[in-house]
Amino acid sequence: MKKIFLTISCAAAIFFSGCAKNQALTNFEDTQLNPSALKYTKKTDIIVNNEPKIQFFATYLNPVHKDVDKGIESFIVGVYFVNEKEQDFRKYNYNVMLNEDKPLAKPYILSAKSLLVKSLPIKNPWGNYYIFHFPKQDGYDLKLKLINDKGLEKIKELKEEKEEENPSIQKQREGQVENNLDIIQLDFQK
């Protein structure tokens, strides 16, 4: 009788225990973005007097999201203004540009509860998220910029000086303008 009971107990234990998945991504949410989204996500903090002022982060959707129109360049952009009540970048006279191109349409504001925002590998729960669509870009380098009105003036001045100066001096001046409170830049490659 003991043998029968022991055999039935072992069989039941094996039957009900099943097999567990042994995968690296088992404990993560099933999201719309694939694991390579981290490769196409960038973030920068603007620090003034050793204090962060603005966080700017973006995910380039074209290589990681299967449903994105490949005839345009699409990004999810997050902006967080530290210690500010208002988080809409437009209220602070900022614009988002890609390689000197403006968006094709007004950005769509994403809810923090949307699946796209939840699936982002880097996010700030206090920031605002937007989806941007830009014209298809030639080449492999993509420069996504958060620019205020002063930054737009600086870019215009650089373009005018570009005709007068040699390329090495112009490149040096571009580096001086980037990543201050007027122009914040994230670099991507296709």
Side-chain angles (χ1 to χ4, degrees):
M1 187 70 166
K2 287 183 179 180
K3 288 183 181 180
I4 294 173
F5 180 73
L6 185 59
T7 305
I8 292 173
S9 297
C10 288
I14 291 171
F15 178 75
F16 288 112
S17 66
C19 296
K21 289 183 181 179
N22 190 12
Q23 296 178 353
L25 300 176
T26 309
N27 297 321
F28 292 94
E29 286 184 42
D30 184 21
T31 61
Q32 292 184 351
L33 297 182
N34 64 37
S36 70
L38 188 57
K39 178 180 175 182
Y40 295 99
T41 298
K42 307 281 180 169
K43 176 185 178 287
T44 188
D45 293 338
I46 303 307
I47 298 174
V48 177
N49 298 328
N50 292 328
E51 291 185 24
K53 294 294 181 191
I54 301 173
Q55 291 182 347
F56 179 49
F57 33 97
T59 298
Y60 180 38
L61 291 177
N62 289 48
V64 298
H65 199 285
K66 63 183 179 204
D67 296 330
V68 171
D69 181 0
K70 301 302 180 190
I72 58 176
E73 308 292 352
S74 297
F75 291 85
I76 294 178
V77 173
V79 180
Y80 174 61
F81 294 92
V82 179
N83 297 326
E84 297 291 339
K85 289 181 182 178
E86 182 60 53
Q87 292 298 317
D88 190 347
F89 69 93
R90 296 170 289 193
K91 302 268 175 151
Y92 297 103
N93 295 321
Y94 278 93
N95 297 299
V96 176
M97 297 176 71
L98 180 66
N99 293 348
E100 315 307 327
D101 287 334
K102 292 182 178 179
L104 293 172
K106 185 177 176 181
Y108 178 75
I109 299 173
L110 297 171
S111 165
K113 296 179 182 180
S114 77
L115 288 178
L116 278 174
V117 173
K118 285 182 177 182
S119 67
L120 293 174
I122 297 174
K123 55 188 163 267
N124 184 322
W126 298 287
N128 280 359
Y129 294 88
Y130 309 86
I131 190 159
F132 281 90
H133 302 292
F134 295 94
K136 188 73 175 168
Q137 301 293 306
D138 296 330
Y140 293 99
D141 293 328
L142 302 174
K143 295 179 186 297
L144 188 67
K145 297 177 183 178
L146 181 67
I147 305 172
N148 66 14
D149 294 337
K150 289 180 188 176
L152 288 172
E153 290 173 19
K154 288 180 184 180
I155 288 176
K156 186 177 178 183
E157 289 173 15
L158 281 174
K159 284 182 179 179
E160 291 170 359
E161 291 175 5
K162 185 177 183 179
E163 298 169 357
E164 300 169 9
E165 296 178 348
N166 69 36
S168 63
I169 294 173
Q170 198 273 332
K171 189 74 169 172
Q172 183 181 13
R173 286 185 181 234
E174 279 182 2
Q176 293 171 355
V177 174
E178 294 169 3
N179 286 344
N180 58 37
L181 287 173
D182 300 327
I183 301 174
I184 306 165
Q185 179 172 304
L186 296 173
D187 295 328
F188 293 88
Q189 289 192 330
K190 290 184 181 183

